[in-house]
Amino acid sequence: MYIGPYQLSNNLIVAPMAGVTDRPFRTLCKYFGAGHAVSEMMTSDKTLRMSKKSLYRANFDGELAPISAQIAGSDPHDLAEAARYQVANGAQIVDINMGCPAKKVCNKLAGSALLKNEDLVARILDAVVAAVDVPVTLKTRLGYLNGHENILRVAKRAEDAGIAALALHGRTREDMYLNTARYSLIKEVKEMLNIPVIANGDIDSPEKAKYVLDYTGADAIMIGRAAQGRPWIFREIAHYLETGEHLAAPSIAEVKDVLLGHLSELYEFYGEYSGCRISRKHIAWYTKGLRSSNEFRQNMYQVENTADQYKVVENYFNGLLEHGHIMSDVQVDQVNLLETK
Ligand SMILES: Cc1cc2nc3c(=O)[nH]c(=O)nc-3n(C[C@H](O)[C@H](O)[C@H](O)COP(=O)(O)O)c2cc1C
């Protein structure tokens, strides 16, 4: 699949997730076979550009091309300016966020709140596409309210504006993350447009990936939450799509190596204080469902520095390895059951 001139290595894309898909995580997902990744959203508010958070989010150093920077805001002029800034900063693709349901974002009429105002959507699309020479993509939802899904009009307008690809989460803003993603409108959008369409929402297994690709006819799929603590999901899905067979789940030894490598990258990227704190949620995701992991996590959350955190994680996995704990989906399910009893 192509986004503008960029041919992706496959049609599996890491969904942008603020607080998760920083450069270390995107790099790891690409290593495990994701064909593309989009940055965390970055506000178009110029006054926040030099904040610590924005600087981390705009760090693409050494990242595998094509680099896609996501911008969020509500003012066409500010968004156009933000797009130019990101291109000067190294972005090869600019992605516009019209899907975020968070109150903080929607109260400023940004993210999915934009879907309430199609005229403003059109002005934003035109302004951003005109502002930069690189492909501009759009990520959005089915609409703002259930029963008032306006994605067919928005998608057509996006194509007419020159948007290079459309990523569509099969929920409305009203759905937030409730209910299940609806793929029927994604299929209709795909049938209507000539630009690539990327299906998103609730894809969490190789079978689901194949189902969504087949059912919607989408050119690619985008995976968010299912990649948290499981960056190898891209390898698993790619293998299944190619062969129809399942790859074995990673061994505990491999999970240990991947997690420790990920931690080292996070420590280097964020430094001592933030590195330790940001790593906690990743450690929690990687260890979910493993033996005695609830107890492990409670202890791990108390650790306040990166050296001790790394050691605590290493020791926990060494303990699992000593007991010959080989992780398989079945075992993980069993442990999950035991832990929730
Ligand atoms: C923690 C978190 C942060 C997110 N941040 C963003 C974001 O910055 N930009 C965006 O367009 N979508 C964001 N999303 C939405 C995801 O990109 C994706 O559309 C959504 O999670 C549905 O896909 P999934 O079911 O595969 O997770 C976020 C989702 C989560 C869970």
Side-chain angles (χ1 to χ4, degrees):
M1 130 150 192
Y2 279 86
I3 298 182
Y6 298 108
Q7 183 173 19
L8 309 186
S9 58
N10 65 25
N11 57 356
L12 309 178
I13 302 176
V14 192
M17 288 183 286
V20 183
T21 51
D22 48 24
R23 195 193 73 198
F25 189 72
R26 295 195 300 273
T27 303
L28 191 55
C29 292
K30 286 178 177 175
Y31 168 81
F32 276 113
H36 187 48
V38 182
S39 81
E40 303 165 87
M41 66 178 149
M42 291 174 276
T43 173
S44 62
D45 182 344
K46 253 205 301 232
T47 63
L48 297 175
R49 206 173 271 165
M50 288 302 143
S51 73
K52 228 172 154 187
K53 191 165 153 185
S54 297
L55 291 173
Y56 283 130
R57 290 189 179 184
N59 184 329
F60 309 119
D61 294 350
E63 191 173 336
L64 212 63
I67 289 162
S68 175
Q70 190 185 68
I71 54 174
S74 57
D75 179 79
H77 179 265
D78 287 354
L79 281 158
E81 164 62 22
R84 276 192 290 268
Y85 173 78
Q86 289 304 336
V87 172
N89 179 48
Q92 293 159 311
I93 297 171
V94 171
D95 187 53
I96 305 174
N97 179 325
M98 287 194 195
C100 181
K103 256 200 186 137
K104 201 169 87 178
V105 174
C106 286
N107 283 347
K108 291 185 184 160
L109 272 183
S112 57
L114 289 168
L115 294 171
K116 288 195 286 192
N117 186 341
E118 288 178 38
D119 175 58
L120 181 56
V121 166
R123 284 189 286 126
I124 288 173
L125 296 170
D126 290 341
V128 176
V129 170
V132 289
D133 289 333
V134 306
V136 176
T137 55
L138 174 67
K139 179 163 179 288
T140 188
R141 290 188 172 223
L142 303 178
Y144 193 77
L145 290 176
N146 287 329
H148 298 274
E149 291 82 354
N150 55 352
I151 188 57
L152 291 173
R153 278 198 306 275
V154 168
K156 186 76 187 80
R157 187 62 179 82
E159 181 171 78
D160 291 346
I163 288 295
L166 174 74
L168 190 49
H169 179 185
R171 287 186 171 86
T172 60
R173 196 277 170 164
E174 185 179 346
D175 287 327
M176 303 293 286
Y177 288 93
L178 299 173
N179 307 321
T180 45
R182 287 178 273 150
Y183 304 118
S184 51
L185 268 173
I186 301 182
K187 178 182 161 79
E188 276 188 58
V189 167
K190 169 60 198 167
E191 281 163 1
M192 183 183 68
L193 296 190
N194 294 310
I195 56 172
V197 171
I198 301 155
N200 170 238
D202 298 350
I203 299 170
D204 58 359
S205 68
E207 285 88 349
K208 189 77 179 274
K210 180 162 170 36
Y211 167 77
V212 174
L213 279 169
D214 290 348
Y215 175 78
T216 61
D219 301 271
I221 50 174
M222 183 176 255
I223 295 159
R225 288 165 296 172
Q228 293 171 346
R230 215 175 136 201
W232 48 81
I233 192 172
F234 297 98
R235 172 177 81 183
E236 295 177 347
I237 292 177
H239 183 83
Y240 184 78
L241 293 177
E242 261 170 52
T243 65
E245 311 216 325
H246 283 282
L247 263 188
S251 66
I252 282 291
E254 186 180 11
V255 176
K256 173 188 163 190
D257 286 350
V258 174
L259 172 53
L260 291 178
H262 191 176
L263 293 182
S264 300
E265 294 297 324
L266 289 169
Y267 299 159
E268 195 182 327
F269 189 73
Y270 289 110
E272 176 61 33
Y273 183 84
S274 302
C276 179
R277 276 138 195 90
I278 286 167
S279 293
R280 287 178 184 149
K281 63 186 162 207
H282 291 281
I283 298 170
W285 287 323
Y286 278 95
T287 56
K288 195 170 160 220
L290 298 182
R291 184 169 296 154
S292 308
S293 65
N294 282 345
E295 193 189 336
F296 156 73
R297 278 190 294 275
Q298 293 320 313
N299 294 332
M300 179 271 294
Y301 287 134
Q302 310 305 317
V303 177
E304 300 274 351
N305 69 78
T306 57
D308 288 345
Q309 186 182 62
Y310 189 94
K311 263 261 145 300
V312 163
V313 172
E314 196 174 27
N315 289 341
Y316 170 68
F317 275 91
N318 286 344
L320 294 180
L321 285 167
E322 269 168 33
H323 291 99
H325 185 122
I326 309 289
M327 187 168 71
S328 71
D329 284 336
V330 175
Q331 281 175 312
V332 168
D333 287 342
Q334 283 167 349
V335 176
N336 261 331
L337 269 178
L338 287 176
E339 286 199 346
T340 48
K341 266 183 189 164

